[in-house]
Amino acid sequence: MTLPTYFLSHGGGPWPWLRDQFGAAYDVLDASLRDIPRQVGGKPKAVLVVSSHWETEPFQLSSGTQPGMIYDYGGFPPHTYRIVYGAPGSPALAARAQALLQAAGIDAGLDAGRGFDHGTFSAMYPVFPEADVPIVQLSLRRNLDPQAHLAAGRALRPLRDEGVLIVGSGLSYHNLRAFNGAGAAASHQFDGWLRAAMALPPEERSIALTHWEQAPAARAAHPREEHLLPLMVALGAAEHEAAEVVYHEDTFFGALAVSSFRFGAGNR
């Protein structure tokens, strides 16, 4: 069975542990994440998460057996700095992914000390709340070149036939200076373009997304593109397959348009 790939808008900070503060604000996102095991037919053997919160040169893969926690956020309640998401790592998957990248001429290293950042544990907790699926993180390349990340996805495509779920974790809109009504227009313009691009024929889709800066309100939506680049890896690993919107809101944080996508068939 060939697993689909995903680009997930992972929300803000440690939101799954702040339901009292946020109320129903994350209910739609939470439901979309909890539905992923059904879409993929159960639990995969492992997950490869492309993290928007880890940039290196060259690519790096987390290769420890029991990754620790990285609380890469600020201003949240004390209990959010004691969160433990205890999913195991997978040195074998890290080595396999490294080999695939290197075989494609893409330099990649292993980092046994890298822990889970919130782009991973906040997104994966609703999907696998029992933390019983091994997870390996893949960094972004520091130059944030869309073509390099698309190529990395292409190289990693065989993992889908090996029971590995490839997930790009970011946000389809990420301008923290306008993460409110001030960013509404830009988020809606960019999100509309992004969803339209997903419906293009595969070759046109890849070209459009690697030239994302030409999209309406592109730099207003992504002053820096680290939260968009995981999308390129997820796309590259399923480049010739259909995309489907699996999460969309027009009023995220009151006014923002955000989306998540699946590439390849899932269970309807």
Side-chain angles (χ1 to χ4, degrees):
M1 176 181 176
T2 300
L3 294 178
T5 72
Y6 287 84
F7 170 71
L8 302 179
S9 287
H10 63 223
W15 64 267
W17 291 269
L18 293 168
R19 302 309 292 268
D20 289 344
Q21 289 89 334
F22 287 128
Y26 278 99
D27 282 0
V28 179
L29 176 59
D30 184 65
S32 74
L33 294 172
R34 292 184 183 277
D35 192 50
I36 289 175
R38 181 196 65 80
Q39 295 177 26
V40 302
K43 292 179 181 177
K45 292 181 180 177
V47 184
L48 180 70
V49 176
V50 186
S51 170
S52 57
H53 291 272
W54 187 21
E55 298 175 32
T56 62
E57 186 60 45
F59 287 109
Q60 296 285 318
L61 292 135
S62 63
S63 59
T65 58
Q66 197 65 52
M69 303 295 292
I70 299 175
Y71 306 114
D72 52 343
Y73 41 72
F76 290 95
H79 75 272
T80 63
Y81 300 90
R82 297 189 294 269
I83 293 166
V84 175
Y85 184 67
S90 175
L93 172 57
R96 170 65 172 147
Q98 180 191 39
L100 287 170
L101 290 167
Q102 291 178 338
I106 300 169
D107 195 10
L110 301 177
D111 185 345
R114 177 70 185 185
F116 294 142
D117 58 58
H118 84 267
T120 294
F121 65 78
S122 290
M124 290 295 99
Y125 174 74
V127 184
F128 306 115
E130 296 177 356
D132 54 355
V133 177
I135 295 174
V136 168
Q137 288 186 152
L138 172 66
S139 70
L140 300 177
R141 261 185 59 181
R142 191 168 285 127
N143 65 2
L144 302 180
D145 176 18
Q147 292 282 6
H149 292 81
L150 192 66
R154 292 172 182 144
L156 294 168
R157 192 239 171 270
L159 295 178
R160 299 174 56 206
D161 298 322
E162 300 169 14
V164 177
L165 185 65
I166 298 174
V167 173
S169 178
L171 271 171
S172 61
Y173 172 84
H174 194 256
N175 184 344
L176 295 182
R177 293 186 176 181
F179 216 73
N180 49 36
S187 75
H188 284 256
Q189 290 175 45
F190 185 76
D191 193 82
W193 173 86
L194 189 60
R195 286 183 287 130
M198 292 299 172
L200 293 171
E203 290 186 7
E204 294 180 32
R205 180 177 63 186
S206 294
I207 292 170
L209 289 173
T210 54
H211 293 88
W212 69 272
E213 288 180 274
Q214 298 175 13
R219 280 299 177 187
H222 291 279
R224 192 173 184 275
E225 58 264 41
E226 80 286 345
H227 274 70
L228 184 66
L229 265 291
L231 169 62
M232 307 302 172
V233 183
L235 169 65
E239 193 169 14
H240 300 289
E241 298 173 57
E244 185 169 334
V245 178
V246 292
Y247 161 71
H248 175 73
E249 287 191 73
D250 284 325
T251 56
F252 185 64
F253 273 71
L256 304 175
V258 291
S259 297
S260 298
F261 304 95
R262 185 184 70 234
F263 300 94
N267 294 323
R268 299 301 194 273

